């Protein structure tokens, strides 16, 4: 997601967990991704920051559940790496269904643009290392090669909340069949 110092207690995020990636990326993320140290599992972000936790009443959760249940579950594979400045990530293929989840949630809650509106476009990705120099990223990328591809069935979007120190799971919203 991003450096945990950028978040405040009560902020929430919607993520697609990718537990199949943990054996391949877990050790790297634990050392090189601040979000992993703050309790976020291997994931692709759908929307961060989402609504403040105080706004997540029953009606909002029901709306979110209905919106996500209208989207079908899908398969995704991570067969290669990509980079942003200082960031190494796994590229999900196809990325379209993940981008569609982000677009649908952002359209329903326009007051919560992806990444706070900091970027013109959103690139679905699974961060492995964040805030690292290029030499470290190259070493990590080489180390990941033997563990790829990773495949996963995306069946749900999880809601997580930052408690001031760590990200905590709050709910899981199934996708449709």
């Amino acid at each position: 997601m991003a450096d945990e110092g950028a978040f405040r207690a009560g902020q929430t995020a919607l993520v697609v967990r990718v537990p199949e990636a943990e054996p391949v990326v877990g050790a790297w993320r634990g050392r090189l991704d601040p979000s992993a140290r703050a309790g976020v599992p291997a994931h692709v972000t759908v929307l961060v920051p989402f609504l403040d936790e105080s706004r997540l009443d029953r009606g909002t959760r029901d709306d979110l559940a209905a919106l996500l249940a209208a989207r079908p579950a899908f398969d995704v594979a991570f067969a290669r790496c990509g980079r942003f400045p200082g960031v190494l990530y796994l590229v999900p293929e196809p990325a379209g269904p993940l981008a569609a989840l982000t677009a649908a949630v952002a359209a329903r809650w326009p007051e919560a643009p992806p990444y706070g509106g900091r970027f013109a476009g959103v690139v679905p990705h699974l961060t492995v290392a964040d805030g690292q120099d290029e030499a470290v990223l190259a070493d990590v990328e080489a180390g990941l090669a033997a563990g790829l591809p990773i495949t996963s069935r995306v069946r749900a979007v999880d809601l997580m909340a930052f408690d001031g120190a760590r990200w905590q799971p709050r709910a899981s919203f199934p996708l449709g069949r």
Side-chain angles (χ1 to χ4, degrees):
M1 274 189 290
D3 181 349
E4 69 268 21
F7 297 106
R8 61 172 175 66
Q11 278 192 310
T12 63
L14 295 170
V15 302
V16 168
R17 291 180 191 230
V18 185
E20 298 86 352
E22 288 292 350
V24 178
V25 304
W28 296 111
R29 289 186 71 244
R31 290 194 324 269
L32 303 172
D33 181 2
S35 72
R37 291 190 301 274
V40 182
H43 71 284
V44 176
T45 299
V46 173
L47 192 66
V48 66
F50 186 46
L51 304 176
D52 190 88
E53 192 169 23
S54 65
R55 291 192 50 202
L56 296 177
D57 60 17
R58 179 70 174 184
T60 301
R61 286 176 186 244
D62 288 349
D63 287 352
L64 184 57
L67 182 138
L68 294 170
R71 304 279 185 267
F74 56 94
D75 294 319
V76 65
F78 301 87
R80 63 187 176 91
C81 294
R83 294 200 192 175
F84 301 130
V87 176
L88 179 74
Y89 61 89
L90 297 180
V91 177
E93 295 173 340
L98 292 159
L101 290 172
T102 298
V105 175
R108 170 59 184 84
W109 287 279
E111 68 271 35
Y115 298 100
R118 291 191 335 243
F119 306 107
V122 175
V123 176
H125 62 281
L126 189 157
T127 299
V128 179
D130 189 2
Q132 305 300 314
D133 65 39
E134 288 301 311
V136 171
L137 299 181
D139 287 346
V140 174
E141 185 170 0
L144 288 171
L148 301 180
I150 299 165
T151 58
S152 182
R153 178 85 177 152
V154 177
R155 293 181 175 93
V157 174
D158 291 347
L159 172 68
M160 299 190 76
F162 191 65
D163 67 8
R166 295 187 57 78
W167 286 92
Q168 304 292 338
R170 294 292 193 247
S172 187
F173 300 93
L175 299 177
R177 302 250 173 229

